[in-house]
Structures are given as structure tokens and as C-alpha cells.
Amino acid sequence: MTGKKIIGIFLLVLLASCGKQEAGTTAIGIIAPLTGEGATYGAAMKRGFDLALKGASAKLIYEDSRLNPKDGASAFQKLVSLNKTPIIYGAAASGVSAAIAPLANKSKVVLFSSISTSDTLSDAGDYFYRNVPRNALQGKTAATFLAKDKGIQSVAILGENDEYGVNLASSFKQEAERLGLAIAYEGSYLSTDIDFRTKLQAIKESGAEAVFIPGNYEESGIILKQADELGLQALFIGGDGSYSPKLVAFAGQAAEGFYCTMMAIDRSTAKYKAFEKKFTDAYGKSPDVYDTYAYEAGLIIREAMEKQPDDMKSYLDNTSFDSFSGPLKFLSGDVDRLYGIEQIKEGKFSSL
């Protein structure tokens, strides 16, 4: 046998083995931002999901989306075609999930996110699921907090120009106007922007009492720092994308007092307390909200995999799950649950 034939046979065997799983083991794909911007989201996804699937008959296969829609779509194609995954956990960032969802529908592979909140994903197709509530509820929570809890009368909006930021800014504006808040300024920025001073100066001159900044933690942190440097004395509030310890690293002392909306958790339950201990024992620190929702997503996927492995989609559609905020039922892939408010106090996020 020639050397070329031997190499050819070896490659065929290698390719065949890539998609093969151990007997009784289910391959679960995970698409998360493991590096680059958004890596803290990916780290939380991995911590929570790994803990939920510990001891399960599952092979977890991670792919890095880098918070990029094209990379996310490529990761999906690889997981489905090469690894034959029947279900995929991900993605982080609504824009990445929006890019993957059509592929999931075409392949009939469940795509399950614990982070993507854009309202447009409610129409992403039959195979997209999420245990996080939609932006419409998040925008409403932020606007209501400003108008009713803080007595704000005028607000500026400065959001990231992507699927998440545009959608959340829109839902916030709609509710703010309904509540009688004056929109003193409205603008947007790109994820590549690093200088927000011109826009912040315009906001300062507008007289806005509060500023809503829906975007990721990196840009939000820079905005807070530059606003402080300009002497912009306004209340700042963001969406769940701002929720990360790294926001404090970017903003420094300027982060103190910052508010953001975040998915609600009932920390008083025995279920949560048991999870908190398990998480702390495993990682040496308390879980944050993204850790918690990732763990919950993992438990839901694990239950579907163990109870009805041949039709996990049907199981998700017809089962009520025990969540960290009470009974959870999927309706066309969406859930009905609440957002709360977090504030940075002494450098750490704290629930109000």
C-alpha cells in the first residue's frame, strides 16, 4: 500500500470519528464568546452550563463566536455537520443568535440562549428558545424605574448600533414617552467607537436628567468614564449588556452608582441557595446573574435530553420547568418573566 493511500485512509477514519459519540452520550454544542469583546459573557455561560451538565451522559463541544455573527454561523455549521449535535446552547448577543437562528430552523436543531434578549428573536423561528425575557420588558423596566422611582422628567438615549442596542433603545423610548418623559437627546454609536465625548457633550447641553445607554459593558464603561471627565452630572442606566465586573474596570470610580436592568432571580428559595453553594464550592465565588441563567439553561437542556432525547423540541414545548423565578413554560420559544434593577455599590453590582 502506498504512503498516499495510507494517509487517505487515515483521514477518512479521522473524519468519521469526529462526528461519532460514545454509546449513550449526547453531543451538545455550545456557541459562546470565549475570547475578545464579550468574553465575560462566555465565561459565565461556560461556568453555569458546565456545572449543570456535570455527571450527565453528554459531550460538551465549545466553539468561539467572538461575539461576531459570521463566526457564530460558522461555528453552528461545524457543530451540526461535523459533530452532529441535536441541540446547541447559545448564543450570546442577539445579533449572533439572529444570524444562527435561520440555520437552526433549516437544520431542525434546537438553539437555546440564556442571554439574547432582542424582541425580533420572537420571530426567529420554531427552533429558537431562550429562558431570558424580551427587551420589551427590559425597556419598560428601565423607563418605569426612572419615571416612578427616581422622578426623572427628561432623558437622553445613547445606544449601540446593533441588534441588541437598537431594539432595546426602541422599547425604552416607547415606554418613556408613554410615561411622559421628554427625550432630550437620541444618538447611537458603533462597537468600534472609543471616543464618545462629542455625543456626551451634546447630552450635557441638552439638560437631560438621566441617560439610557443600552450596549455592552466595554463601551458602557468607557462612556461612564468620559462622562465623568466632562462633568456630566446625570443618572446613568444601561441594559443587561452592561452587567459585568469589567465595566467597573473600564469606568473606574465613575461606575459607582450606575444602574442597569437585569433578569430577575428569587434568591430566597431553597433551589437558589442550593445552587449558590454548589457554584461557590466549584468556583470559589458567588454566582452572578449570567452564571445563574446559564446553569438554569443547562438544567432545562439536561432534563429534555434525559427525558425525551429523540425529540427534545417537543419536550421543551410541552413541559413546565422549575426556574429561579418560579414555574417556567415556553410559548413559541419565549418566556414570561421579569427584569429587576442592579446598582454598582462599592465597585460591585447589587440588586435593589
Side-chain angles (χ1 to χ4, degrees), residues 152-317:
I152 297 297
Q153 296 182 334
S154 63
V155 63
I157 302 172
L158 180 59
E160 187 165 356
N161 189 18
D162 64 359
E163 176 77 23
Y164 168 80
V166 171
N167 179 249
L168 184 48
S170 176
S171 67
F172 171 83
K173 180 182 178 182
Q174 182 178 356
E175 183 64 16
E177 290 180 330
R178 191 190 72 79
L179 292 170
L181 292 177
I183 308 299
Y185 173 93
E186 190 172 2
S188 64
Y189 62 86
L190 301 175
S191 63
T192 53
D193 291 348
I194 57 173
D195 188 348
F196 305 93
R197 292 177 180 86
T198 300
K199 292 181 173 67
L200 290 170
Q201 182 62 37
I203 291 172
K204 183 178 180 180
E205 293 172 1
S206 77
E209 299 173 274
V211 187
F212 183 55
I213 52 171
N216 291 322
Y217 57 83
E218 186 170 333
E219 293 81 19
S220 297
I222 297 171
I223 287 171
L224 291 174
K225 183 175 177 59
Q226 292 179 0
D228 184 60
E229 292 169 350
L230 288 173
L232 175 49
Q233 300 296 317
L235 182 157
F236 277 81
I237 182 170
D240 65 297
S242 299
Y243 183 86
S244 169
K246 285 201 171 182
L247 179 139
V248 179
F250 282 106
Q253 187 59 33
E256 196 67 18
F258 173 72
Y259 296 95
C260 75
T261 49
M262 198 59 194
M263 295 86 77
I265 296 171
D266 186 351
R267 292 178 171 85
S268 67
T269 64
K271 178 183 175 70
Y272 179 80
K273 292 183 185 301
F275 158 65
E276 184 178 34
K277 183 180 186 308
K278 184 177 181 181
F279 187 96
T280 304
D281 289 345
Y283 299 111
K285 65 175 186 177
S286 296
D288 67 19
V289 179
Y290 283 131
D291 291 317
T292 306
Y293 270 68
Y295 180 79
E296 179 184 278
L299 292 182
I300 291 170
I301 290 173
R302 180 172 183 166
E303 183 177 332
M305 177 188 73
E306 293 177 346
K307 294 289 183 65
Q308 202 167 315
D310 295 331
D311 192 356
M312 286 185 273
K313 182 185 187 310
S314 177
Y315 190 84
L316 292 174
D317 287 335

Side-chain angles (χ1 to χ4, degrees), residues 124-153:
D126 292 341
Y127 283 81
F128 179 74
Y129 293 78
R130 53 183 168 182
N131 62 328
V132 289
R134 299 176 294 113
N135 275 347
L137 299 173
Q138 184 167 195
K140 182 176 181 179
T141 299
T144 301
F145 173 72
L146 292 180
K148 296 187 176 181
D149 291 280
K150 291 299 180 180
I152 297 297
Q153 296 182 334

Side-chain angles (χ1 to χ4, degrees), residues 87-105:
I87 190 166
I88 290 176
Y89 169 52
S94 295
V96 180
S97 290
I100 300 173
L103 304 176
N105 292 320

